[in-house]
Amino acid sequence: MERVNAQKQEHNVVLFLTITALFTALTYLFTTFVNIRLPIASKGGLIHLGNVPLFLGAILFGRKVGMIAGAIGMGLFDLLSGWTLWTPFTLAIVGLMGYVMGWITEKDGRQNYFRYAAAIAASCIIKLAGYYLAETVIYGSLIAPAASIPGNLMQIGIAAIIVLPLVGPLNAVIRKTGLNASI
């Protein structure tokens, strides 16, 4: 019996690592290759779709997957694309976004679009406040960070428009496979 439990636990760890790696890679790829640079924000700015796999990972598989996928996926983007100064801020801000999103949505196993929307709204507040504070530190100004607010709102809004219709069907498929029960 102990051997069966050990094998099941090992299977769950491998499954968690695989799913987390997948969503981390997708977050990095969607941030890197599906983006538009904005001329309005300080030093540019970026609208990207990296929040889509981050939100899906957090909603479908919980706070740990969301936190790791967001922090590492978008942190790697900053590190590898010349936005190196932003890396520690992104690790903290986006990691917190993924954690809170997963925490809000993993309360029960039922579909709850109100909870999904509330989680996206909470992530939006974290993103706006976190990056506003980060830009205040980086640029030494309370005014300059305001230019990034529209882009950050667009990022979250576009991700919400994509994620909310997808999460129901994906959740149904995952429930049939039993994957979310194993993680």
Side-chain angles (χ1 to χ4, degrees), residues 100-124:
V100 168
M101 168 137 325
W103 178 73
I104 291 171
T105 59
E106 73 184 11
K107 297 263 184 195
D108 61 36
R110 296 177 294 175
Q111 294 275 50
N112 189 329
Y113 287 99
F114 175 76
R115 187 171 282 158
Y116 302 154
I120 290 171
S123 289
C124 184

Side-chain angles (χ1 to χ4, degrees), residues 10-33:
E10 186 176 303
H11 169 77
N12 291 349
V13 168
V14 170
L15 188 60
F16 171 78
L17 291 172
T18 303
I19 288 171
T20 303
L22 173 68
F23 279 96
T24 300
L26 288 172
T27 300
Y28 171 75
L29 291 170
F30 276 53
T31 304
T32 302
F33 297 112

Side-chain angles (χ1 to χ4, degrees), residues 29-134:
L29 291 170
F30 276 53
T31 304
T32 302
F33 297 112
V34 189
N35 67 56
I36 300 169
R37 297 205 184 260
L38 295 175
I40 60 171
S42 306
K43 307 284 186 190
L46 193 66
I47 294 178
H48 58 76
L49 292 184
N51 292 301
V52 172
L54 161 62
F55 290 175
L56 287 172
I59 290 170
L60 298 172
F61 297 104
R63 61 186 166 215
K64 290 180 199 172
V65 171
M67 179 181 68
I68 295 167
I72 303 300
M74 287 192 204
L76 273 175
F77 166 79
D78 284 350
L79 191 62
L80 299 175
S81 66
W83 300 64
T84 310
L85 182 62
W86 290 92
T87 305
F89 297 106
T90 296
L91 287 169
I93 295 164
V94 183
L96 183 60
M97 285 171 57
Y99 185 88
V100 168
M101 168 137 325
W103 178 73
I104 291 171
T105 59
E106 73 184 11
K107 297 263 184 195
D108 61 36
R110 296 177 294 175
Q111 294 275 50
N112 189 329
Y113 287 99
F114 175 76
R115 187 171 282 158
Y116 302 154
I120 290 171
S123 289
C124 184
I125 291 167
I126 293 166
K127 183 178 208 78
L128 291 174
Y131 280 109
Y132 186 89
L133 290 172

